[in-house]
mmCIF file with all atom_site columns, all heavy atoms in Angstrom:
data_model
loop_
_atom_site.group_PDB
_atom_site.id
_atom_site.type_symbol
_atom_site.label_atom_id
_atom_site.label_alt_id
_atom_site.label_comp_id
_atom_site.label_asym_id
_atom_site.label_entity_id
_atom_site.label_seq_id
_atom_site.pdbx_PDB_ins_code
_atom_site.Cartn_x
_atom_site.Cartn_y
_atom_site.Cartn_z
_atom_site.occupancy
_atom_site.B_iso_or_equiv
_atom_site.pdbx_formal_charge
_atom_site.auth_seq_id
_atom_site.auth_comp_id
_atom_site.auth_asym_id
_atom_site.auth_atom_id
_atom_site.pdbx_PDB_model_num
ATOM 1   N N   . THR A 1 22 ? 16.328 6.284  11.241 1.00 0.00 ? 22 THR A N   1
ATOM 2   C CA  . THR A 1 22 ? 17.547 5.469  11.232 1.00 0.00 ? 22 THR A CA  1
ATOM 3   C C   . THR A 1 22 ? 18.624 5.992  12.162 1.00 0.00 ? 22 THR A C   1
ATOM 4   O O   . THR A 1 22 ? 19.594 5.286  12.443 1.00 0.00 ? 22 THR A O   1
ATOM 5   C CB  . THR A 1 22 ? 18.138 5.416  9.808  1.00 0.00 ? 22 THR A CB  1
ATOM 6   O OG1 . THR A 1 22 ? 18.531 6.736  9.418  1.00 0.00 ? 22 THR A OG1 1
ATOM 7   C CG2 . THR A 1 22 ? 17.115 4.880  8.815  1.00 0.00 ? 22 THR A CG2 1
ATOM 8   N N   . LYS A 1 23 ? 18.474 7.244  12.604 1.00 0.00 ? 23 LYS A N   1
ATOM 9   C CA  . LYS A 1 23 ? 19.488 7.919  13.406 1.00 0.00 ? 23 LYS A CA  1
ATOM 10  C C   . LYS A 1 23 ? 20.809 8.050  12.641 1.00 0.00 ? 23 LYS A C   1
ATOM 11  O O   . LYS A 1 23 ? 21.871 8.151  13.227 1.00 0.00 ? 23 LYS A O   1
ATOM 12  C CB  . LYS A 1 23 ? 19.716 7.183  14.733 1.00 0.00 ? 23 LYS A CB  1
ATOM 13  C CG  . LYS A 1 23 ? 18.490 7.183  15.631 1.00 0.00 ? 23 LYS A CG  1
ATOM 14  C CD  . LYS A 1 23 ? 18.768 6.512  16.964 1.00 0.00 ? 23 LYS A CD  1
ATOM 15  C CE  . LYS A 1 23 ? 17.532 6.534  17.857 1.00 0.00 ? 23 LYS A CE  1
ATOM 16  N NZ  . LYS A 1 23 ? 17.772 5.880  19.163 1.00 0.00 ? 23 LYS A NZ  1
ATOM 17  N N   . ARG A 1 24 ? 20.717 8.033  11.322 1.00 0.00 ? 24 ARG A N   1
ATOM 18  C CA  . ARG A 1 24 ? 21.883 8.221  10.452 1.00 0.00 ? 24 ARG A CA  1
ATOM 19  C C   . ARG A 1 24 ? 21.575 9.274  9.401  1.00 0.00 ? 24 ARG A C   1
ATOM 20  O O   . ARG A 1 24 ? 20.470 9.319  8.867  1.00 0.00 ? 24 ARG A O   1
ATOM 21  C CB  . ARG A 1 24 ? 22.253 6.906  9.748  1.00 0.00 ? 24 ARG A CB  1
ATOM 22  C CG  . ARG A 1 24 ? 22.831 5.832  10.666 1.00 0.00 ? 24 ARG A CG  1
ATOM 23  C CD  . ARG A 1 24 ? 24.299 6.098  10.956 1.00 0.00 ? 24 ARG A CD  1
ATOM 24  N NE  . ARG A 1 24 ? 24.852 5.108  11.838 1.00 0.00 ? 24 ARG A NE  1
ATOM 25  C CZ  . ARG A 1 24 ? 25.411 3.959  11.434 1.00 0.00 ? 24 ARG A CZ  1
ATOM 26  N NH1 . ARG A 1 24 ? 25.453 3.677  10.137 1.00 0.00 ? 24 ARG A NH1 1
ATOM 27  N NH2 . ARG A 1 24 ? 25.913 3.115  12.298 1.00 0.00 ? 24 ARG A NH2 1
ATOM 28  N N   . SER A 1 25 ? 22.541 10.100 9.105  1.00 0.00 ? 25 SER A N   1
ATOM 29  C CA  . SER A 1 25 ? 22.382 11.112 8.066  1.00 0.00 ? 25 SER A CA  1
ATOM 30  C C   . SER A 1 25 ? 22.895 10.623 6.716  1.00 0.00 ? 25 SER A C   1
ATOM 31  O O   . SER A 1 25 ? 22.603 11.227 5.683  1.00 0.00 ? 25 SER A O   1
ATOM 32  C CB  . SER A 1 25 ? 23.131 12.383 8.453  1.00 0.00 ? 25 SER A CB  1
ATOM 33  O OG  . SER A 1 25 ? 24.540 12.145 8.449  1.00 0.00 ? 25 SER A OG  1
ATOM 34  N N   . GLN A 1 26 ? 23.690 9.545  6.738  1.00 0.00 ? 26 GLN A N   1
ATOM 35  C CA  . GLN A 1 26 ? 24.380 9.039  5.533  1.00 0.00 ? 26 GLN A CA  1
ATOM 36  C C   . GLN A 1 26 ? 25.334 10.092 4.967  1.00 0.00 ? 26 GLN A C   1
ATOM 37  O O   . GLN A 1 26 ? 25.656 10.075 3.784  1.00 0.00 ? 26 GLN A O   1
ATOM 38  C CB  . GLN A 1 26 ? 23.389 8.590  4.467  1.00 0.00 ? 26 GLN A CB  1
ATOM 39  C CG  . GLN A 1 26 ? 22.519 7.419  4.871  1.00 0.00 ? 26 GLN A CG  1
ATOM 40  C CD  . GLN A 1 26 ? 23.314 6.181  5.270  1.00 0.00 ? 26 GLN A CD  1
ATOM 41  O OE1 . GLN A 1 26 ? 23.265 5.724  6.405  1.00 0.00 ? 26 GLN A OE1 1
ATOM 42  N NE2 . GLN A 1 26 ? 24.060 5.638  4.319  1.00 0.00 ? 26 GLN A NE2 1
ATOM 43  N N   . LEU A 1 27 ? 25.798 10.987 5.826  1.00 0.00 ? 27 LEU A N   1
ATOM 44  C CA  . LEU A 1 27 ? 26.755 12.021 5.427  1.00 0.00 ? 27 LEU A CA  1
ATOM 45  C C   . LEU A 1 27 ? 28.063 11.839 6.191  1.00 0.00 ? 27 LEU A C   1
ATOM 46  O O   . LEU A 1 27 ? 28.051 11.588 7.395  1.00 0.00 ? 27 LEU A O   1
ATOM 47  C CB  . LEU A 1 27 ? 26.196 13.417 5.711  1.00 0.00 ? 27 LEU A CB  1
ATOM 48  C CG  . LEU A 1 27 ? 24.943 13.826 4.947  1.00 0.00 ? 27 LEU A CG  1
ATOM 49  C CD1 . LEU A 1 27 ? 24.435 15.164 5.442  1.00 0.00 ? 27 LEU A CD1 1
ATOM 50  C CD2 . LEU A 1 27 ? 25.217 13.889 3.443  1.00 0.00 ? 27 LEU A CD2 1
ATOM 51  N N   . ILE A 1 28 ? 29.161 11.970 5.471  1.00 0.00 ? 28 ILE A N   1
ATOM 52  C CA  . ILE A 1 28 ? 30.497 11.912 6.067  1.00 0.00 ? 28 ILE A CA  1
ATOM 53  C C   . ILE A 1 28 ? 31.192 13.241 5.839  1.00 0.00 ? 28 ILE A C   1
ATOM 54  O O   . ILE A 1 28 ? 31.273 13.732 4.709  1.00 0.00 ? 28 ILE A O   1
ATOM 55  C CB  . ILE A 1 28 ? 31.342 10.768 5.456  1.00 0.00 ? 28 ILE A CB  1
ATOM 56  C CG1 . ILE A 1 28 ? 30.687 9.417  5.692  1.00 0.00 ? 28 ILE A CG1 1
ATOM 57  C CG2 . ILE A 1 28 ? 32.762 10.788 6.032  1.00 0.00 ? 28 ILE A CG2 1
ATOM 58  C CD1 . ILE A 1 28 ? 30.561 9.011  7.147  1.00 0.00 ? 28 ILE A CD1 1
ATOM 59  N N   . GLY A 1 29 ? 31.668 13.852 6.911  1.00 0.00 ? 29 GLY A N   1
ATOM 60  C CA  . GLY A 1 29 ? 32.425 15.082 6.774  1.00 0.00 ? 29 GLY A CA  1
ATOM 61  C C   . GLY A 1 29 ? 33.860 14.797 6.370  1.00 0.00 ? 29 GLY A C   1
ATOM 62  O O   . GLY A 1 29 ? 34.461 13.829 6.844  1.00 0.00 ? 29 GLY A O   1
ATOM 63  N N   . VAL A 1 30 ? 34.399 15.616 5.486  1.00 0.00 ? 30 VAL A N   1
ATOM 64  C CA  . VAL A 1 30 ? 35.789 15.468 5.035  1.00 0.00 ? 30 VAL A CA  1
ATOM 65  C C   . VAL A 1 30 ? 36.465 16.835 5.153  1.00 0.00 ? 30 VAL A C   1
ATOM 66  O O   . VAL A 1 30 ? 36.019 17.810 4.549  1.00 0.00 ? 30 VAL A O   1
ATOM 67  C CB  . VAL A 1 30 ? 35.867 14.973 3.578  1.00 0.00 ? 30 VAL A CB  1
ATOM 68  C CG1 . VAL A 1 30 ? 37.332 14.813 3.155  1.00 0.00 ? 30 VAL A CG1 1
ATOM 69  C CG2 . VAL A 1 30 ? 35.117 13.658 3.405  1.00 0.00 ? 30 VAL A CG2 1
ATOM 70  N N   . VAL A 1 31 ? 37.534 16.896 5.934  1.00 0.00 ? 31 VAL A N   1
ATOM 71  C CA  . VAL A 1 31 ? 38.292 18.137 6.105  1.00 0.00 ? 31 VAL A CA  1
ATOM 72  C C   . VAL A 1 31 ? 39.618 17.997 5.363  1.00 0.00 ? 31 VAL A C   1
ATOM 73  O O   . VAL A 1 31 ? 40.408 17.095 5.653  1.00 0.00 ? 31 VAL A O   1
ATOM 74  C CB  . VAL A 1 31 ? 38.545 18.450 7.596  1.00 0.00 ? 31 VAL A CB  1
ATOM 75  C CG1 . VAL A 1 31 ? 39.295 19.777 7.735  1.00 0.00 ? 31 VAL A CG1 1
ATOM 76  C CG2 . VAL A 1 31 ? 37.231 18.496 8.368  1.00 0.00 ? 31 VAL A CG2 1
ATOM 77  N N   . LEU A 1 32 ? 39.855 18.891 4.421  1.00 0.00 ? 32 LEU A N   1
ATOM 78  C CA  . LEU A 1 32 ? 41.046 18.839 3.579  1.00 0.00 ? 32 LEU A CA  1
ATOM 79  C C   . LEU A 1 32 ? 41.925 20.059 3.828  1.00 0.00 ? 32 LEU A C   1
ATOM 80  O O   . LEU A 1 32 ? 41.413 21.149 4.098  1.00 0.00 ? 32 LEU A O   1
ATOM 81  C CB  . LEU A 1 32 ? 40.646 18.802 2.101  1.00 0.00 ? 32 LEU A CB  1
ATOM 82  C CG  . LEU A 1 32 ? 39.720 17.659 1.687  1.00 0.00 ? 32 LEU A CG  1
ATOM 83  C CD1 . LEU A 1 32 ? 39.207 17.892 0.276  1.00 0.00 ? 32 LEU A CD1 1
ATOM 84  C CD2 . LEU A 1 32 ? 40.454 16.328 1.790  1.00 0.00 ? 32 LEU A CD2 1
ATOM 85  N N   . PRO A 1 33 ? 43.250 19.922 3.715  1.00 0.00 ? 33 PRO A N   1
ATOM 86  C CA  . PRO A 1 33 ? 44.133 21.068 3.939  1.00 0.00 ? 33 PRO A CA  1
ATOM 87  C C   . PRO A 1 33 ? 44.131 22.059 2.792  1.00 0.00 ? 33 PRO A C   1
ATOM 88  O O   . PRO A 1 33 ? 44.360 23.249 2.981  1.00 0.00 ? 33 PRO A O   1
ATOM 89  C CB  . PRO A 1 33 ? 45.507 20.421 4.105  1.00 0.00 ? 33 PRO A CB  1
ATOM 90  C CG  . PRO A 1 33 ? 45.416 19.149 3.329  1.00 0.00 ? 33 PRO A CG  1
ATOM 91  C CD  . PRO A 1 33 ? 44.000 18.672 3.483  1.00 0.00 ? 33 PRO A CD  1
ATOM 92  N N   . ARG A 1 34 ? 43.869 21.577 1.574  1.00 0.00 ? 34 ARG A N   1
ATOM 93  C CA  . ARG A 1 34 ? 43.896 22.418 0.375  1.00 0.00 ? 34 ARG A CA  1
ATOM 94  C C   . ARG A 1 34 ? 43.240 21.622 -0.751 1.00 0.00 ? 34 ARG A C   1
ATOM 95  O O   . ARG A 1 34 ? 43.056 20.415 -0.653 1.00 0.00 ? 34 ARG A O   1
ATOM 96  C CB  . ARG A 1 34 ? 45.331 22.783 -0.005 1.00 0.00 ? 34 ARG A CB  1
ATOM 97  C CG  . ARG A 1 34 ? 46.234 21.575 -0.173 1.00 0.00 ? 34 ARG A CG  1
ATOM 98  C CD  . ARG A 1 34 ? 47.696 21.906 -0.230 1.00 0.00 ? 34 ARG A CD  1
ATOM 99  N NE  . ARG A 1 34 ? 48.066 22.584 -1.449 1.00 0.00 ? 34 ARG A NE  1
ATOM 100 C CZ  . ARG A 1 34 ? 49.332 22.778 -1.826 1.00 0.00 ? 34 ARG A CZ  1
ATOM 101 N NH1 . ARG A 1 34 ? 50.319 22.373 -1.051 1.00 0.00 ? 34 ARG A NH1 1
ATOM 102 N NH2 . ARG A 1 34 ? 49.607 23.402 -2.933 1.00 0.00 ? 34 ARG A NH2 1
ATOM 103 N N   . MET A 1 35 ? 42.912 22.316 -1.842 1.00 0.00 ? 35 MET A N   1
ATOM 104 C CA  . MET A 1 35 ? 42.312 21.625 -2.986 1.00 0.00 ? 35 MET A CA  1
ATOM 105 C C   . MET A 1 35 ? 43.274 21.519 -4.166 1.00 0.00 ? 35 MET A C   1
ATOM 106 O O   . MET A 1 35 ? 43.145 20.634 -4.997 1.00 0.00 ? 35 MET A O   1
ATOM 107 C CB  . MET A 1 35 ? 41.038 22.353 -3.434 1.00 0.00 ? 35 MET A CB  1
ATOM 108 C CG  . MET A 1 35 ? 39.886 22.218 -2.449 1.00 0.00 ? 35 MET A CG  1
ATOM 109 S SD  . MET A 1 35 ? 39.376 20.502 -2.136 1.00 0.00 ? 35 MET A SD  1
ATOM 110 C CE  . MET A 1 35 ? 38.736 20.049 -3.746 1.00 0.00 ? 35 MET A CE  1
ATOM 111 N N   . ASP A 1 36 ? 44.256 22.444 -4.251 1.00 0.00 ? 36 ASP A N   1
ATOM 112 C CA  . ASP A 1 36 ? 45.176 22.471 -5.385 1.00 0.00 ? 36 ASP A CA  1
ATOM 113 C C   . ASP A 1 36 ? 46.358 21.551 -5.140 1.00 0.00 ? 36 ASP A C   1
ATOM 114 O O   . ASP A 1 36 ? 47.516 21.979 -5.141 1.00 0.00 ? 36 ASP A O   1
ATOM 115 C CB  . ASP A 1 36 ? 45.639 23.904 -5.655 1.00 0.00 ? 36 ASP A CB  1
ATOM 116 C CG  . ASP A 1 36 ? 46.324 24.540 -4.454 1.00 0.00 ? 36 ASP A CG  1
ATOM 117 O OD1 . ASP A 1 36 ? 46.080 24.078 -3.322 1.00 0.00 ? 36 ASP A OD1 1
ATOM 118 O OD2 . ASP A 1 36 ? 47.112 25.481 -4.658 1.00 0.00 ? 36 ASP A OD2 1
ATOM 119 N N   . SER A 1 37 ? 46.066 20.270 -4.956 1.00 0.00 ? 37 SER A N   1
ATOM 120 C CA  . SER A 1 37 ? 47.116 19.317 -4.615 1.00 0.00 ? 37 SER A CA  1
ATOM 121 C C   . SER A 1 37 ? 46.817 17.977 -5.264 1.00 0.00 ? 37 SER A C   1
ATOM 122 O O   . SER A 1 37 ? 45.679 17.493 -5.211 1.00 0.00 ? 37 SER A O   1
ATOM 123 C CB  . SER A 1 37 ? 47.202 19.156 -3.090 1.00 0.00 ? 37 SER A CB  1
ATOM 124 O OG  . SER A 1 37 ? 47.949 18.016 -2.735 1.00 0.00 ? 37 SER A OG  1
ATOM 125 N N   . VAL A 1 38 ? 47.840 17.388 -5.878 1.00 0.00 ? 38 VAL A N   1
ATOM 126 C CA  . VAL A 1 38 ? 47.688 16.064 -6.487 1.00 0.00 ? 38 VAL A CA  1
ATOM 127 C C   . VAL A 1 38 ? 47.321 15.036 -5.435 1.00 0.00 ? 38 VAL A C   1
ATOM 128 O O   . VAL A 1 38 ? 46.443 14.188 -5.641 1.00 0.00 ? 38 VAL A O   1
ATOM 129 C CB  . VAL A 1 38 ? 48.987 15.652 -7.202 1.00 0.00 ? 38 VAL A CB  1
ATOM 130 C CG1 . VAL A 1 38 ? 48.897 14.214 -7.706 1.00 0.00 ? 38 VAL A CG1 1
ATOM 131 C CG2 . VAL A 1 38 ? 49.287 16.596 -8.356 1.00 0.00 ? 38 VAL A CG2 1
ATOM 132 N N   . SER A 1 39 ? 47.981 15.096 -4.278 1.00 0.00 ? 39 SER A N   1
ATOM 133 C CA  . SER A 1 39 ? 47.743 14.108 -3.237 1.00 0.00 ? 39 SER A CA  1
ATOM 134 C C   . SER A 1 39 ? 46.307 14.179 -2.719 1.00 0.00 ? 39 SER A C   1
ATOM 135 O O   . SER A 1 39 ? 45.678 13.146 -2.466 1.00 0.00 ? 39 SER A O   1
ATOM 136 C CB  . SER A 1 39 ? 48.728 14.303 -2.079 1.00 0.00 ? 39 SER A CB  1
ATOM 137 O OG  . SER A 1 39 ? 48.594 15.582 -1.497 1.00 0.00 ? 39 SER A OG  1
ATOM 138 N N   . VAL A 1 40 ? 45.757 15.385 -2.583 1.00 0.00 ? 40 VAL A N   1
ATOM 139 C CA  . VAL A 1 40 ? 44.379 15.535 -2.107 1.00 0.00 ? 40 VAL A CA  1
ATOM 140 C C   . VAL A 1 40 ? 43.400 14.966 -3.132 1.00 0.00 ? 40 VAL A C   1
ATOM 141 O O   . VAL A 1 40 ? 42.420 14.300 -2.770 1.00 0.00 ? 40 VAL A O   1
ATOM 142 C CB  . VAL A 1 40 ? 44.060 17.012 -1.815 1.00 0.00 ? 40 VAL A CB  1
ATOM 143 C CG1 . VAL A 1 40 ? 42.561 17.218 -1.620 1.00 0.00 ? 40 VAL A CG1 1
ATOM 144 C CG2 . VAL A 1 40 ? 44.809 17.464 -0.562 1.00 0.00 ? 40 VAL A CG2 1
ATOM 145 N N   . GLY A 1 41 ? 43.654 15.199 -4.403 1.00 0.00 ? 41 GLY A N   1
ATOM 146 C CA  . GLY A 1 41 ? 42.789 14.651 -5.445 1.00 0.00 ? 41 GLY A CA  1
ATOM 147 C C   . GLY A 1 41 ? 42.742 13.134 -5.410 1.00 0.00 ? 41 GLY A C   1
ATOM 148 O O   . GLY A 1 41 ? 41.667 12.521 -5.526 1.00 0.00 ? 41 GLY A O   1
ATOM 149 N N   . LYS A 1 42 ? 43.897 12.520 -5.236 1.00 0.00 ? 42 LYS A N   1
ATOM 150 C CA  . LYS A 1 42 ? 43.946 11.055 -5.177 1.00 0.00 ? 42 LYS A CA  1
ATOM 151 C C   . LYS A 1 42 ? 43.306 10.545 -3.886 1.00 0.00 ? 42 LYS A C   1
ATOM 152 O O   . LYS A 1 42 ? 42.645 9.494  -3.873 1.00 0.00 ? 42 LYS A O   1
ATOM 153 C CB  . LYS A 1 42 ? 45.399 10.586 -5.290 1.00 0.00 ? 42 LYS A CB  1
ATOM 154 C CG  . LYS A 1 42 ? 45.999 10.802 -6.683 1.00 0.00 ? 42 LYS A CG  1
ATOM 155 C CD  . LYS A 1 42 ? 47.396 10.249 -6.786 1.00 0.00 ? 42 LYS A CD  1
ATOM 156 C CE  . LYS A 1 42 ? 47.952 10.441 -8.193 1.00 0.00 ? 42 LYS A CE  1
ATOM 157 N NZ  . LYS A 1 42 ? 47.209 9.666  -9.195 1.00 0.00 ? 42 LYS A NZ  1
#
Side-chain angles (χ1 to χ4, degrees):
T22 64
K23 296 183 179 180
R24 290 280 179 89
S25 67
Q26 296 303 117
L27 296 174
I28 299 297
V30 181
V31 182
L32 303 170
R34 55 193 290 192
M35 290 301 294
D36 58 338
S37 165
V38 174
S39 60
V40 167
K42 290 184 178 295

